[in-house]
Amino acid sequence: MKRVYSGIRATGRLHLGNYFGAVKGMLALQDTYDCIFSVVDLHAITTPYAPSSLQNSVREIIIDFLAAGLDPKKCHLEIQSKIPQHTELAYLLSTIYPVSRLEDLPTYKDKKAQYPKYVNMGLLYYPVLMAADVLLYKGELVPVGIDQEPHLEVMREIARKFNSMFGHPSTGSGSSTFPEPQRFKTEGEYVPSLTGKGKMSKTVDGSYINLTDDLAVIKKKLAAVPTDSGTIGGDLPKEGGVASLFVMMKLFKQENEYRKFENDYKNKTIRYSELKEVLTQGVYKELKPFQEKRKTLLDNPSLVDSIIADGQKECMEMAEETMKEVRQKMGFA
Ligand code: TRP
């Protein structure tokens, strides 16, 4: 069975973008592959963060995963920092990869522009740690968005280089230690930002709805989506707040309502307050079962503790197996 690895940054609560873009895909994968799903807290600290809430965010994401339907009997759940082999492998791999390639990555440049006062080594090193995440488990498939493709390329380059430099310890070459991981396209769907610009993102305030938002919060967030005068007519816009609202109606399977409001738009009779109310109800209805499951998990902290502990034990064994091989091949044993 092929191994799948995916990581989610612990920088806040899961939102609808994560749910449609990643979590739904993860749910489908756990039935078919040997999956490791990780909360990558070491990656989360490369951009400004609050140490006092880090551990809580990590746990909340695990609870979100479970409430959404990830089943610890079908997949391995990991908290990255609890498996020190990630950082060990990342360091070892960093010694075979050029700095100049890392400096050229679009993700690094974007973050530099976004946080000009927080350009740290960890940020540059981010793709190496990400490569270590997957290679530590000899993962072959990585279900992530297209924006992560440059990181996957780095991962493959590192795997290839390691294999050619440190093949078999006695012969010097020949055996391949790591597979070259491929990005795995899941059924994930694009969820637009509530601001009307780009995709829903936890690092952009006002852009997202959390999976735990209650009716009042959903209502308030949708009310803030920028719209127009409602008297433009013609085809629906392709971007902006109005476009986001319509895309969301589709995601929440409000087909009939979609058609009604699309007609209203064409006829310049659309009332956005009405549309937003309908959408609020649709979002809330979908989130309710998740929120109820979540509550039962919150009421049972020892169950969550034991799920986390089991995942850690399973992952630690697999990770240590790879590390034994790597240490030996690199000359440490
Ligand atoms: N960089 C990924 C993101 O921002 C998160 C991540 C870290 C990851 N390590 C990973 C994803 C390993 C897949 C596999 O979404």
Side-chain angles (χ1 to χ4, degrees), residues 5-9 40 43 80 126 129-131 133-134 142-145 147-148 151-152 155:
Y5 185 100
S6 193
I8 190 145
R9 276 162 42 102
V40 291
H43 278 110
Q80 185 192 31
Y126 186 112
L129 179 59
M130 181 165 161
D133 291 341
V134 177
V142 185
V144 283
D147 60 314
Q148 295 294 311
H151 291 161
L152 269 283
M155 212 179 274

Side-chain angles (χ1 to χ4, degrees), residues 13 22-23 46 49 81-82 102 120 127 138 142-143 182 208 218 221 236 258 284 288 302 307 311 324 332:
R13 311 304 312 277
V23 180
T46 56
Y49 79 105
S81 64
K82 303 265 189 244
L102 295 172
N120 57 77
K138 304 197 178 188
V142 185
Q182 303 297 321
Y208 56 87
I218 297 169
K221 287 184 175 175
L236 291 177
Y258 184 101
Y284 183 62
K288 213 164 157 228
S302 59
I307 290 172
K324 280 207 179 92
F332 288 98

Side-chain angles (χ1 to χ4, degrees), residues 9-241:
R9 276 162 42 102
T11 45
R13 311 304 312 277
L14 289 189
H15 55 67
L16 290 177
N18 306 125
Y19 182 64
F20 286 103
V23 180
K24 276 196 154 179
M26 290 157 81
L27 293 177
L29 290 172
Q30 67 175 348
D31 291 321
T32 325
Y33 295 97
D34 179 16
C35 297
I36 298 163
F37 296 124
S38 182
V39 184
V40 291
D41 47 357
L42 295 169
H43 278 110
I45 66 171
T46 56
T47 46
Y49 79 105
S52 56
S53 56
L54 183 65
Q55 277 320 297
N56 192 48
S57 327
V58 169
R59 190 180 173 90
E60 293 285 319
I61 289 184
I62 296 277
I63 292 174
D64 283 350
F65 276 167
L66 295 170
L70 285 186
D71 179 351
K73 290 198 191 67
K74 295 181 179 171
C75 64
H76 310 282
L77 290 172
E78 181 197 49
I79 295 171
Q80 185 192 31
S81 64
K82 303 265 189 244
I83 310 287
Q85 286 87 342
H86 283 276
T87 42
E88 183 185 358
L89 182 59
Y91 175 75
L92 294 175
L93 296 178
S94 78
T95 64
I96 63 169
Y97 202 72
V99 174
S100 55
R101 268 284 284 136
L102 295 172
E103 283 169 335
D104 272 347
L105 289 177
T107 41
Y108 175 65
K109 289 183 183 163
D110 287 353
K111 285 284 183 269
K112 248 173 96 170
Q114 196 180 355
Y115 303 105
K117 296 214 174 86
Y118 217 82
V119 184
N120 57 77
M121 277 287 286
L123 208 50
L124 183 68
Y125 191 75
Y126 186 112
V128 180
L129 179 59
M130 181 165 161
D133 291 341
V134 177
L135 299 178
L136 184 59
Y137 297 106
K138 304 197 178 188
E140 291 177 79
L141 300 172
V142 185
V144 283
I146 185 81
D147 60 314
Q148 295 294 311
E149 191 56 51
H151 291 161
L152 269 283
E153 193 51 45
V154 171
M155 212 179 274
R156 287 189 287 270
E157 284 169 12
I158 290 180
R160 223 172 289 147
K161 191 139 180 223
F162 186 97
N163 290 340
S164 78
M165 286 176 75
F166 306 107
H168 195 272
S170 54
T171 61
S173 67
S175 92
S176 76
T177 308
F178 295 122
E180 292 184 24
Q182 303 297 321
R183 191 169 76 86
F184 191 57
K185 258 184 91 179
T186 57
E187 289 303 295
E189 286 168 282
Y190 179 88
V191 184
S193 165
L194 298 184
T195 61
K197 264 202 222 134
K199 71 171 180 176
M200 197 173 270
S201 160
K202 50 191 152 194
T203 48
V204 180
D205 279 340
S207 87
Y208 56 87
I209 291 177
N210 282 329
L211 297 186
T212 47
D213 286 348
D214 62 18
L215 194 59
V217 173
I218 297 169
K219 202 183 173 97
K220 195 167 143 224
K221 287 184 175 175
L222 287 178
V225 175
T227 54
D228 53 41
S229 62
T231 56
I232 297 176
D235 290 339
L236 291 177
K238 298 231 179 326
E239 51 192 32

